[in-house]
Amino acid sequence: MEYQNLLSEIKENILYVTVNREKALNALNRSTLDELAAVIAFADKTDEVRGVIITGAGEKAFVAGADIKEFSNYNAKEGEELAKRGQDLVFNAIENSSKPFIAAINGFALGGGLELAMACHMRIASDNAKLGLPEVTLGLIPGYGGTQRLTQLVGKGKAIEMITTANMVTAEQAQVFGLVNYVVPLPDLISKAEEILNSIKQRAPLAIASALKSVIASVNEVNGYQTEINEFAKSFETSDFKEGVNAFLEKRKPNFVGK
Ligand code: CAA
């Protein structure tokens, strides 16, 4: 399949997907999300694909988040639709896939970028990677499952610290509290992911699918995702959201008033 914003190829039963918007630090705009939805559906239904590696183009960013320029004028309804559509077609689709997905985090994984990595079944980071959920800086909260999956991965205390301070953590720190499985030098990133998928490829495909489904079932009993969608949508109606986004676009510090 040909994509505008993704590179994809299958080699030895592994599907390699690269988010390819390097100039925008691989930010997820609507068409990139549509293409991700298509490639995830393809992976799920194609027997030749035994595992997927997702990474970002270039050496600076995995994915720097949802595309801020695209949603800068959204209202609550549009914010709700953005979060719901993304969660259904991309983030939950990855987590619920019968194929194992590994995020190869090659640089900044922020906001929707970290959420993309967290939707994957495993995460490997290069030693230059920086991870965070900076949405409150924009007067928003994470909208692609971040409040749920970060809490599941690192526990409530660390998740609240990361989400409310908006501070980034290094790859090494992320490994200490279980947010990434391994940290490796950038040139070894893809080969480490391949090593894991090559082990999985030797095991029984239906058993892998059942194992993934069972592990995911253990953490998704309560629907906090809907709460997140509602709160994300509400943020779009605040003055602080407009101020946060304008400050980003104008490359200045925001002045929040709590309205
Ligand atoms: N959306 C759109 N464009 C983005 C972007 C994003 N998330 N992140 C970076 N870019 C663009 C910048 O606007 C810039 O474009 P121009 O050259 O046209 O100005 C280009 O990518 C390079 O970025 P910077 O000049 O900012 O690079 P830097 O090295 O100075 O900083 C950075 C790097 C710290 C990652 C910084 O770009 C940044 O803070 N990005 C935004 C991160 C963010 O807030 N992500 C969360 C988005 S909201 C979200 O994801 C909501 C959700 O949960 C659904």
Side-chain angles (χ1 to χ4, degrees), residues 23-24 27 60 64 66-69 110 112 115 134-135 143-144 251:
K23 282 202 181 123
K60 184 165 173 182
D67 193 310
I68 300 170
K69 290 169 190 165
L110 300 176
E115 292 173 297
E135 284 88 345
Y144 287 147
K251 301 186 189 291

Side-chain angles (χ1 to χ4, degrees), residues 6 12 15 29 35 44 51 75 78 81 86 99 115 124 140 142 156 179-181 199 210-212 217 229 242:
L6 302 179
E12 296 178 17
L15 175 64
N29 61 1
E35 291 182 2
D44 213 38
N75 60 27
E78 290 164 312
E81 135 89 7
K99 311 293 169 68
E115 292 173 297
I124 302 171
L140 286 177
K156 196 163 69 173
L179 181 52
V180 301
N181 299 45
S199 292
S210 289
L212 291 174
I229 289 171
K242 312 265 182 285

Side-chain angles (χ1 to χ4, degrees), residues 94-114:
I94 291 174
E95 187 171 75
N96 295 325
S97 175
S98 57
K99 311 293 169 68
F101 278 65
I102 298 184
I105 305 171
N106 55 308
F108 287 113
L110 300 176
L114 180 55

Side-chain angles (χ1 to χ4, degrees), residues 19-37:
V19 181
N20 191 28
R21 298 186 70 220
E22 199 178 337
K23 282 202 181 123
L25 302 188
N26 303 320
L28 300 174
N29 61 1
R30 189 172 264 269
S31 61
T32 306
L33 284 166
D34 287 346
E35 291 182 2
L36 278 170

Side-chain angles (χ1 to χ4, degrees), residues 112-128:
L114 180 55
E115 292 173 297
L116 180 65
M118 292 193 295
C120 292
H121 302 107
M122 286 163 272
R123 282 149 295 285
I124 302 171
S126 57
D127 49 16
N128 64 317

Side-chain angles (χ1 to χ4, degrees), residues 173-190:
Q173 289 168 325
Q175 189 182 17
V176 170
F177 49 79
L179 181 52
V180 301
N181 299 45
Y182 297 96
V183 179
V184 296
L186 184 58
D188 301 338
L189 186 62
I190 300 300

